[in-house]
């Protein structure tokens, strides 16, 4: 805080190493860490590393089963699958916003960023409330 450096907390280390949210390969920043970062006055976002990649390539890190990033979206049709994923994203976005709001912070100033490697699932994640951030790679 004393150096004025802004924070964008990322979940990549947890995605690779766990602990994962039950039924997923996703690590969510603990609520206490969110509150502490927001209390610093320097929290500018939460970065979800490659959620579309880990949704469609769920075996990337976890080898103990098939656990997509946002959970299983198996459905009878594509629209239902998209709704399932969008709902999962929206639940996480709501949870983070509620934690920050209850702690007295303006949750609208802390976007959940979806760092995307592949140009897929943009609409489903945006509909769920995430800000899209294409990953630029050399």
């Amino acid at each position: 805080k004393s150096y004025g450096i802004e924070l964008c907390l990322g979940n990549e280390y947890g995605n690779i190493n766990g602990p994962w949210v039950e039924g997923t390969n996703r690590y969510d920043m603990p609520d206490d860490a969110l509150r502490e970062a927001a209390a610093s006055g320097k929290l500018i976002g939460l970065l979800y590393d490659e959620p579309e990649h880990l949704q469609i390539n769920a075996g990337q890190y976890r080898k103990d089963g098939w656990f997509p990033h946002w959970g299983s979206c198996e459905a009878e049709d594509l629209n239902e699958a998209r709704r399932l994923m969008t709902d999962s994203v929206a639940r996480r976005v709501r949870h983070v916003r509620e934690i920050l709001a209850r702690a007295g912070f303006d949750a609208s100033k802390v976007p959940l960023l979806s760092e995307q490697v592949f140009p897929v699932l943009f609409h489903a994640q945006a509909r769920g409330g995430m800000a899209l951030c294409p990953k630029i790679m050399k």
Side-chain angles (χ1 to χ4, degrees):
K1 182 175 178 178
S2 60
Y3 295 103
I5 297 172
E6 294 176 321
L7 301 171
C8 183
L9 300 178
N11 74 337
E12 183 173 13
Y13 178 85
N15 281 352
I16 295 168
N17 300 289
W20 302 283
V21 173
E22 184 69 30
T24 77
N25 64 7
R26 184 183 81 249
Y27 171 77
D28 286 336
M29 198 63 57
D31 295 348
D32 287 341
L34 295 175
R35 283 188 283 271
E36 182 179 349
S40 75
K42 299 297 179 186
L43 182 63
I44 60 169
L46 297 175
L47 179 68
Y48 281 75
D49 184 66
E50 304 176 10
E52 88 298 345
H53 179 20
L54 297 177
Q55 181 69 25
I56 60 178
N57 298 305
Q60 179 72 23
Y61 299 124
R62 288 189 71 174
K63 305 301 182 198
D64 59 333
W66 187 258
F67 302 103
H69 190 83
W70 296 111
S72 176
C73 293
E74 291 184 29
E76 293 295 319
D77 63 47
L78 188 57
N79 287 328
E80 177 65 8
R82 184 187 67 220
R83 187 195 63 73
L84 289 170
M85 195 182 90
T86 298
D87 288 352
S88 181
V89 172
R91 279 191 302 277
R92 183 63 191 158
V93 170
R94 275 192 311 274
H95 177 79
V96 169
R97 289 183 177 155
E98 288 168 5
I99 290 295
L100 295 176
R102 281 197 305 263
F105 302 102
D106 183 355
S108 69
K109 294 185 179 180
V110 183
L112 276 69
L113 303 164
S114 174
E115 181 191 39
Q116 307 263 143
V117 175
F118 306 118
V120 297
L121 304 178
F122 282 158
H123 291 86
Q125 292 178 121
R127 284 183 182 115
M130 295 191 88
L132 304 176
C133 179
K135 189 171 199 169
I136 306 300
M137 304 170 85
K138 28 179 171 166

